[in-house]
Amino acid sequence: MVIGGDAAGMSAASQARRLKGPDELEIVAFERGGFTSYSACGIPYWVGGAVEDRDDLVARTPEEHRERAIDLRMRTEVRRIDVAGRRVLARDLESGEEYWTAYDKLVIATGARPLRPSLPGIDAPGVHGVQTLGDGQALIDTLTRTEGRRAVVVGAGYIGVEMAEALIRRGYEVTVVNRSKEPMSTLDPDMGRLVHEAMSGMGIDMVNDAEVTKILTGEDGRVSAVVTEEAEYPADVVILGVGVRPETELARAAGLPVGEYGGLLTDLAMRVRGHEDIWAGGDCVEVLDLMSGRERHIALGTHANKHGQVIGSNVGGGYATFPGVVGTAVSKVCDLEIARTGLRERDALAAGLRFVAVTVESTSRAGYYPGAALMTVKMLAERRTGRLLGVQIVGREGAGKRVDVAAVALTAGMTVEQMTALDLGYAPPFSPVWDPVLVAARKAAAAVRAHTD
């Protein structure tokens, strides 16, 4: 039995079905929404027009899952998990009918929910969170109907900057209100400052270190402005991009273990700790950070699909594990690419690590080749050993995916000295003779040597 019909849940169901046929394993899945197996990460690009059709974001429809002998019940919400009785209580949202269904093995893939601050006016028409395809459709409908062209985005993390781009592309005047000192708190502040400057250069009004206190409405009841402690920003539409939390209320009520960030705790096989026949994956779980050794909540489709594969293999009689993550993420706002992996400075300090940090500027291609664009690479290395700890990259075309080299190096436990010898591909249209990541590694290796002499 699977609770949740998106990435982790249906990947688990599909993988289990590959391993065992309908005569060997019955699969029942519940999804309270109207879509399955879709890319939530693609919603900002659909809103902005880069993706033309909503259905382009759907990897597999309910009908396609059913053709594979998966009993998928849409618009059905699980209300309770009875662990002792090995059954769940489900409610058909169309008819209101409630019924119990028994399980032998349970997969919890309930995802995450957007944070919605408890503020006056937060539920006014024109205020939108963006988490599901339904949310995206509701936002597009609002943008289509709204005559005004002023948008305020609350929050400057991944969703916030991506939605700022989407609104810019739709011709809106965009203000981003951010409670942190710089956008993208997943970066160190010095790198976040580069994002701030670039977004301002795109015509986005960046308001940092500002706390939203309320949302005003007009005579028609619709949103009219966002208010902070110091100013008021007119708005015809407001997008909330202040993060997500694991959707684990159902699991908590059933007595299942959750961690510091509210996510379910699992073992390497994605089995819920202390429960032999219950698994969990996707945005509702916490994962092991291989760099800090601590559990973290990271809501990414890459992890969710891998979790589903691991769970499906184990449920289907095979064997697989999910060892953890190094915290790799990449995003963009217009032509600016933003990437990070591993630890930030404050993460390293919290873990008790002594480190060196270096920053270099380079170009995406040979400097003489047309289209070469600047990028900034920041690298952290452990002071005594030279072990790579983290990398952040901000730049134009060709910058973002360079973080993958660093992600592999982190996973392999490489030192920055070892990285300098990596045999990376080179040709003037793709890279300078020394790739920017290797330039940073050289500088970091020199800094490590300087602290060990």
Side-chain angles (χ1 to χ4, degrees):
M1 180 178 295
V2 178
I3 305 175
D6 199 8
M10 298 318 294
S11 290
S14 297
Q15 177 65 5
R17 175 56 72 229
R18 291 186 192 101
L19 297 176
K20 286 189 179 294
D23 294 337
E24 299 176 283
L25 179 67
E26 179 185 358
I27 302 176
V28 178
F30 298 101
E31 168 55 45
R32 67 184 177 188
F35 303 93
T36 60
S37 302
Y38 61 86
S39 172
C41 302
I43 293 174
Y45 308 107
W46 169 39
V47 173
V51 176
E52 294 184 5
D53 192 275
R54 179 186 67 193
D55 290 345
D56 292 338
L57 300 180
V58 177
R60 189 165 290 163
T61 65
E63 292 74 23
E64 289 173 319
H65 283 300
R66 291 175 186 134
E67 288 172 0
R68 303 186 64 178
I70 296 172
D71 181 4
L72 177 56
R73 304 175 189 182
M74 301 298 294
R75 299 286 295 145
T76 303
E77 182 178 33
V78 173
R79 309 282 293 221
R80 182 181 163 196
I81 301 172
D82 177 7
V83 174
R86 301 170 73 89
R87 60 179 187 163
V88 303
L89 178 64
R91 183 172 187 265
D92 186 316
L93 297 178
E94 301 294 342
S95 68
E97 176 192 2
E98 291 192 349
Y99 57 93
W100 288 96
T101 304
Y103 66 81
D104 299 302
K105 302 176 187 295
L106 177 65
V107 177
I108 301 173
T110 45
R113 67 180 183 277
L115 293 176
R116 202 171 183 92
S118 180
L119 297 173
I122 195 71
D123 294 322
V127 180
H128 292 265
V130 184
Q131 179 73 7
T132 67
L133 282 188
D135 294 336
Q137 187 63 66
L139 174 58
I140 289 174
D141 292 344
T142 292
L143 297 175
T144 302
R145 293 192 304 263
T146 301
E147 294 183 3
R149 311 303 289 176
R150 300 168 300 182
V152 174
V153 178
V154 180
Y158 293 107
I159 291 295
V161 301
E162 289 169 0
M163 291 309 305
E165 173 185 346
L167 293 162
I168 283 285
R169 291 189 178 280
R170 292 183 74 104
Y172 277 74
E173 299 175 15
V174 179
T175 299
V176 176
V177 180
N178 175 36
R179 66 186 303 179
S180 300
K181 293 186 181 299
E182 299 293 353
M184 298 299 293
S185 61
T186 53
L187 306 176
D188 286 324
D190 54 337
M191 297 296 281
R193 181 68 189 177
L194 299 178
V195 179
H196 176 176
E197 293 170 353
M199 291 178 70
S200 295
M202 298 169 192
I204 298 170
D205 184 14
M206 296 296 299
V207 181
N208 292 310
D209 206 12
E211 190 79 39
V212 175
T213 57
K214 61 182 174 180
I215 294 174
L216 300 181
T217 56
E219 294 181 358
D220 59 358
R222 294 185 55 78
V223 61
S224 63
V226 171
V227 180
T228 69
E229 295 175 349
E230 298 181 351
E232 180 178 310
Y233 302 94
D236 301 299
V237 63
V238 173
I239 312 297
L240 302 177
V242 292
V244 298
R245 279 213 180 123
E247 183 68 86
T248 51
E249 291 182 9
L250 189 66
R252 283 175 183 269
L256 301 179
V258 297
E260 178 184 353
Y261 301 98
L264 279 159
L265 297 176
T266 67
D267 62 17
L268 290 175
M270 302 307 298
R271 183 183 286 106
V272 173
R273 295 178 191 173
H275 295 270
E276 184 68 22
D277 292 319
I278 303 178
W279 286 261
D283 294 352
C284 68
V285 305
E286 295 182 12
V287 295
L288 176 64
D289 184 325
L290 296 174
M291 301 306 300
S292 68
R294 300 177 178 179
E295 304 288 342
R296 294 177 59 191
H297 179 246
I298 305 176
L300 283 176
T302 51
H303 301 167
N305 280 282
K306 290 172 186 173
H307 294 169
Q309 289 288 308
V310 169
I311 293 168
S313 294
N314 293 322
V315 169
Y319 173 72
T321 60
F322 184 80
V325 302
V326 294
T328 308
V330 63
S331 186
K332 71 185 254 332
V333 52
C334 297
D335 66 340
L336 185 75
E337 299 181 4
I338 308 159
R340 54 97 63 206
T341 190
L343 305 180
R344 301 164 296 184
E345 289 194 25
R346 58 183 176 273
D347 301 323
L349 290 170
L353 294 168
R354 299 180 68 192
F355 61 91
V356 298
V358 302
T359 303
V360 302
E361 287 189 352
S362 186
T363 56
S364 57
R365 303 170 179 172
Y368 56 79
Y369 194 88
L374 287 174
M375 73 175 71
T376 302
V377 180
K378 181 174 183 176
M379 184 171 288
L380 274 63
E382 190 172 17
R383 182 174 292 189
R384 182 177 61 84
T385 66
R387 177 171 61 108
L388 179 68
L389 296 178
V391 172
Q392 300 163 41
I393 304 174
V394 176
R396 260 60 188 194
E397 181 184 2
K401 286 294 283 179
R402 274 184 162 85
V403 79
D404 289 342
V405 173
V408 172
L410 284 169
T411 304
M414 295 180 70
T415 67
V416 288
E417 188 73 50
Q418 289 171 327
M419 288 181 67
T420 64
L422 286 174
D423 185 14
L424 303 185
Y426 162 70
F430 304 105
S431 170
V433 171
W434 279 91
D435 188 87
V437 172
L438 299 190
V439 174
R442 289 178 65 183
K443 188 171 181 180
V448 169
R449 288 194 296 271
H451 283 89
T452 55
D453 291 342

